[in-house]
Amino acid sequence: MTDKNNSHNIKHVLEIPIEAEGILISRPSRFLGIVDIIAPIWLKGEQVHIHDPGRLSDILFPGNYVLLKKASGKKRKTKWDLIAGKAEDSWVLIHSGFHRRISMWVIENKIIDGLEDVKSILPEQICGNSRLDYLLEANGLKIWVEVKGCTLAKNGRAVFPDAPTKRGKKHVEELIKAVHNKDKAVMIVLVFRENTHCFWTHEEIDPGFTAAFIRALKKGVQVHPLVFTFERKGYSGNIYYNKKLPLCQNLI
């Protein structure tokens, strides 16, 4: 479902081929799922790669519907990639391999206020003791950008993370240091749950990340949650930019 008040903002981002629909049978490990494919052919007990380290417990549970794409690469142990899962009445993208293309689209299409004058985009740059997603340059200013994908919703809130993330906390701390060094720091949150009205951290899952996130806000790190929808039409999946989300708490 799309927010009608924001319908003028909806923009197509990318298309993802969908080659099968199935039912999840089990998730033996974090990156492996067992799926019975039900369309366009019937295949029982297929191994599929899950390209997301999160728990995804409200999406990847036995009996839920999933969408698959054939894997590329001869050395792959699994023949399929899991692309999306059903949540309520919507499909949710759960393949983090597409985050780079989506976030690059956000930057290039000037979706975020303050990033309109970007002249240089360098992916995967070292910042302190971490590798952050982007180093941008605008008007002589360095802008460090970290991208997070949000697939969990609770009571109408988009929340991150859905599993403890020491790495995520470390990234936030590097953004704080960047601001201290007179650079600009931005966190882009790609929210894939469309029926949400605000974004916040999941303190019950990772209080350490929440504490770092709050420090970052107070130190001047900018956080931009953006909602994306996944729409399936036959054997094509399309990602659309929907709207910006406010933070659930105003600390600054």
Side-chain angles (χ1 to χ4, degrees), residues 8-247:
H8 62 285
N9 291 327
I10 297 172
K11 299 177 181 178
H12 184 260
V13 179
L14 63 90
E15 181 179 357
I16 304 173
I18 299 299
E19 295 171 281
E21 181 176 350
I23 297 174
L24 184 72
I25 302 304
S26 65
R27 189 181 184 183
S29 66
R30 185 167 54 166
F31 297 109
L32 178 66
I34 306 299
V35 171
D36 284 350
I37 294 176
I38 59 175
I41 57 175
W42 175 266
L43 292 172
K44 190 174 178 64
E46 287 291 294
Q47 293 188 345
V48 304
H49 177 64
I50 300 170
H51 202 294
D52 191 306
R55 291 175 177 171
L56 302 167
S57 57
D58 65 332
I59 301 174
L60 294 186
F61 56 86
N64 199 27
Y65 289 94
V66 294
L67 299 177
L68 310 175
K69 178 181 179 296
K70 289 182 180 178
S72 58
K74 295 181 180 180
K75 296 183 179 180
R76 281 284 302 267
K77 294 182 179 180
T78 54
K79 298 178 181 179
W80 301 92
D81 284 330
L82 199 155
I83 300 298
K86 202 78 169 180
E88 299 173 336
D89 294 326
S90 304
W91 291 104
V92 177
L93 179 71
I94 52 176
H95 192 304
S96 61
F98 292 97
H99 291 184
R100 169 59 52 79
R101 290 171 62 185
I102 296 171
S103 58
M104 184 67 79
W105 180 92
V106 167
I107 296 169
E108 292 178 341
N109 285 271
K110 307 181 187 305
I111 299 299
I112 294 176
D113 295 338
L115 299 185
E116 300 93 343
D117 298 323
V118 169
K119 298 296 189 292
S120 171
I121 305 174
L122 298 175
E124 295 288 332
Q125 297 297 300
I126 298 296
C127 179
N129 296 315
S130 296
R131 187 183 297 273
L132 299 185
D133 286 304
Y134 297 101
L135 172 59
L136 313 180
E137 186 276 326
N139 300 319
L141 179 67
K142 288 183 178 180
I143 306 172
W144 295 95
V145 178
E146 179 62 16
V147 178
K148 299 299 181 189
C150 174
T151 57
L152 180 61
K154 295 181 75 68
N155 301 318
R157 292 182 167 198
V159 292
F160 177 91
D162 82 335
T165 173
K166 292 182 179 179
R167 183 168 174 265
K169 178 175 177 286
K170 186 178 179 182
H171 289 160
V172 174
E173 290 169 343
E174 294 296 352
L175 293 176
I176 295 172
K177 292 177 184 177
V179 172
H180 179 75
N181 293 332
K182 309 302 182 183
D183 294 337
K184 185 174 180 178
V186 174
M187 180 187 295
I188 299 175
V189 184
L190 308 178
V191 177
F192 298 108
R193 299 298 290 264
E194 59 180 299
N195 296 319
T196 50
H197 57 78
C198 65
F199 169 81
W200 198 247
T201 59
H202 198 337
E203 186 171 7
E204 295 176 4
I205 289 291
D206 195 335
F209 180 87
T210 295
F213 182 83
I214 292 173
R215 286 199 306 273
L217 289 175
K218 292 181 176 180
K219 293 295 184 180
V221 175
Q222 297 181 13
V223 179
H224 296 276
L226 307 173
V227 177
F228 295 85
T229 56
F230 185 104
E231 295 187 12
R232 179 193 178 186
K233 187 175 182 180
Y235 289 96
S236 174
N238 288 278
I239 303 295
Y240 291 90
Y241 167 62
N242 191 320
K243 61 183 178 181
K244 300 177 182 179
L245 280 187
L247 298 180

